[in-house]
Amino acid sequence: MHALTKQLTDYMLEKYHLTDYVLYESSYTQNKMNDQTGYSFETFWIPRGTSVIEEEDGTMLPEGTVQIAINPVTKRTTTLSLHGQILVHSVPNDLRDISTRIAWLESETSMIHGTHFILEKDDETFFSYVSCYDGVRLSPGCFIHLTLTENGQLDELFIYGPHPLDHRVESKSFTLTLEEIESLTKQQIKWFSYPKTGNQYAHTVAEAFVTQEASILVPSKLDFTSSIEVNDVLSWTGLSSKTHERYPFQSGETVTANDVITQTEHPDFRPIPQETADACRAVIKDIIQNEYSADSGQWMLRHIYRQDPYLAVTLSHAHPTSYVDQHRRITILLDAKTLHWIDLVDNQELQTVFASVTAPELEDHQQDIIFNALHPYLSLTPRYVFDASKGHYVLCGLLNSNHVFLPATNKVILLRDL
């Protein structure tokens, strides 16, 4: 057993008093939290004197198994799952009382309720919390899901996402108003069709994060990855002289204790060399040329991005002529090392669903009518959003509406009532 693994398992033994358990399985995993690489040490503990049952469709763990995952650097618990009606040291026997529940969560997460996390959903036996900074929610942020049994005992604690104490936040006062962003709000008026006789349309203001300088900020995803924007139209004559067979899916490299010690960067963060992008383009052109031989000049290679252990390539119509064409996508997976063809996904089936959909054209006065109708139902709430270009969270306003305008009746209703 590696020294780090021994240290972490001893820590779990001491914290949760697992003296009546034996370690059945442990492993390290690697994840992406905004622009940082994170690690997790995951374990399964089974009661002494029990054994697992190997079946054709998987392994059945015995009653009383305890699943624990921690951050190997900070030692914060990220998963605590109890398989059965069992009690674990340091976990209250009944978590239905709000004071008991909050105090325990604060001790487990190193966060303070109201300052670092707030309640999002309360469903008697299920509680969902989201991370915040001085009460203002973070996007993307940390999620805390707590599930209890009917008698209030812990069933599962699951924590995922960037810990608010591990990322820098640019603290500011929120001063943005709806009046300041009227022009931008009108640009966010979007339409969609809904299943009613006669091909009905509805309009709403699409959710957006607006900086205090009145510009839209697209938040970084939790799965931030290296990518290259290509925007290259693929043209050819005839079939390609090269054919590519599909290879089976494969898993990424095993994460080790040494990776944790050296803080090895996640593979998805590695830049894509230009020579790799060029070679990737050549393979993609061969595949498209053979699979869509009659479509020369109709497909544009948009992006190449990492999706360990693959390179993912997205293509769309080079010259869309309809609403459906605008949303047509092809995604191709290649092995990141060999560029072997792994998979191809085409969303062409959406064309059947939206074949009769045409985008309504709005005159300026119609847009004003929709904006004025929806304006009373707009909200602008403060939200800290991670800005990858700056490497920290900045204060924005979340522009949102849960209402829609129906041009057929000139009425505004709740989105959920459609």
Side-chain angles (χ1 to χ4, degrees):
M1 180 181 289
H2 193 282
L4 177 61
T5 304
K6 178 69 164 56
Q7 176 189 351
L8 296 175
T9 53
D10 286 347
Y11 170 81
M12 292 182 183
L13 278 167
E14 181 180 354
K15 178 176 181 177
Y16 295 111
H17 288 195
L18 301 174
T19 53
D20 294 330
Y21 287 82
V22 294
L23 180 63
Y24 166 67
E25 187 177 73
S26 68
S27 62
Y28 293 92
T29 60
Q30 195 178 49
N31 48 70
K32 297 174 287 185
M33 301 296 178
N34 289 339
D35 58 347
Q36 298 181 12
T37 301
Y39 287 90
S40 179
F41 178 60
E42 303 179 355
T43 64
F44 287 89
W45 302 77
I46 61 175
R48 291 185 184 278
T50 63
S51 59
V52 300
I53 301 174
E54 301 290 346
E55 298 182 339
E56 291 185 2
D57 57 349
T59 300
M60 180 176 292
L61 298 173
E63 181 79 7
T65 294
V66 178
Q67 178 185 357
I68 306 173
I70 65 172
N71 181 315
V73 177
T74 64
K75 292 187 173 65
R76 299 185 189 119
T77 297
T78 54
T79 298
L80 179 57
S81 181
L82 310 182
H83 299 254
Q85 296 288 330
I86 55 177
L87 300 178
V88 175
H89 177 73
S90 82
V91 180
N93 295 343
D94 191 340
L95 287 165
R96 287 175 291 187
D97 175 71
I98 185 171
S99 298
T100 302
R101 184 168 63 250
I102 292 301
W104 180 69
L105 285 175
E106 289 182 336
S107 68
E108 283 293 317
T109 63
S110 303
M111 293 189 280
I112 300 174
H113 181 252
T115 300
H116 301 128
F117 70 99
I118 52 179
L119 180 68
E120 181 184 46
K121 181 179 180 181
D122 179 348
D123 192 15
E124 295 186 0
T125 59
F126 176 76
F127 302 88
S128 176
Y129 301 86
V130 292
S131 61
C132 64
Y133 180 83
D134 284 343
V136 177
R137 185 171 172 178
L138 301 175
S139 293
C142 178
F143 294 89
I144 305 171
H145 293 165
L146 177 65
T147 307
L148 309 180
T149 63
E150 291 184 355
N151 60 4
Q153 287 184 335
L154 174 68
D155 181 46
E156 181 178 57
L157 171 68
F158 179 70
I159 304 172
Y160 179 76
H163 197 283
L165 301 183
D166 296 337
H167 286 80
R168 191 163 68 89
V169 178
E170 184 183 55
S171 180
K172 283 188 176 181
S173 298
F174 185 71
T175 59
L176 195 66
T177 66
L178 284 170
E179 287 69 30
E180 294 178 73
I181 60 170
E182 180 175 314
S183 176
L184 185 148
T185 303
K186 289 181 179 181
Q187 296 172 27
Q188 289 301 109
I189 295 177
K190 308 297 180 181
W191 70 275
F192 61 93
S193 63
Y194 61 99
K196 291 283 186 179
T197 304
N199 199 16
Q200 298 292 309
Y201 298 106
H203 300 267
T204 190
V205 173
E207 177 183 283
F209 293 106
V210 185
T211 69
Q212 300 212 80
E213 293 73 37
S215 63
I216 292 180
L217 173 62
V218 178
S220 300
K221 298 179 180 179
L222 289 175
D223 59 350
F224 176 79
T225 184
S226 292
S227 64
I228 292 180
E229 185 174 352
V230 183
N231 293 333
D232 187 12
V233 177
L234 303 181
S235 301
W236 59 80
T237 56
L239 294 175
S240 172
S241 58
K242 295 183 180 179
T243 59
H244 296 267
E245 300 295 329
R246 294 200 195 190
Y247 285 73
F249 283 92
Q250 61 184 21
S251 58
E253 296 180 1
T254 301
V255 180
T256 68
N258 287 329
D259 290 324
V260 178
I261 294 172
T262 60
Q263 288 294 285
T264 303
E265 186 179 57
H266 194 286
D268 284 354
F269 291 152
R270 299 169 187 166
I272 302 174
Q274 188 57 51
E275 55 267 29
T276 299
D278 293 340
C280 181
R281 180 196 180 282
V283 173
I284 294 300
K285 181 180 178 181
D286 291 337
I287 294 173
I288 295 296
Q289 189 171 350
N290 285 318
E291 296 294 313
Y292 302 84
S293 57
D295 290 355
S296 175
Q298 296 184 29
W299 290 103
M300 177 176 284
L301 195 160
R302 298 288 184 181
H303 292 91
I304 302 173
Y305 60 94
R306 291 196 182 276
Q307 190 174 311
D308 183 59
Y310 309 113
L311 288 175
V313 183
T314 58
L315 302 97
S316 64
H317 273 304
H319 310 288
T321 58
S322 67
Y323 169 76
V324 177
D325 281 349
Q326 292 176 11
H327 292 79
R328 179 81 181 277
R329 294 289 185 274
I330 294 176
T331 303
I332 299 176
L333 292 183
L334 303 179
D335 182 282
K337 293 181 178 179
T338 65
L339 298 188
H340 287 157
W341 180 20
I342 304 298
D343 194 31
L344 183 151
V345 177
D346 186 341
N347 70 350
Q348 186 178 12
E349 291 185 0
L350 288 177
Q351 287 193 309
T352 303
V353 178
F354 297 114
S356 60
V357 175
T358 55
E361 296 184 5
L362 294 179
E363 302 291 341
D364 289 342
H365 74 280
Q366 292 174 307
Q367 188 180 51
D368 288 338
I369 291 174
I370 296 171
F371 172 79
N372 292 330
L374 291 174
H375 188 270
Y377 306 98
L378 297 177
S379 63
L380 186 66
T381 53
R383 182 76 65 90
Y384 279 107
V385 183
F386 185 76
D387 186 342
S389 66
K390 297 181 179 179
H392 61 251
Y393 286 86
V394 298
L395 185 60
C396 294
L398 173 60
L399 174 65
N400 196 17
S401 175
N402 56 5
H403 286 71
V404 296
F405 175 81
L406 306 181
T409 60
N410 289 329
K411 291 184 178 180
V412 175
I413 65 172
L414 282 166
L415 178 61
R416 66 170 180 263
D417 291 338
L418 274 183

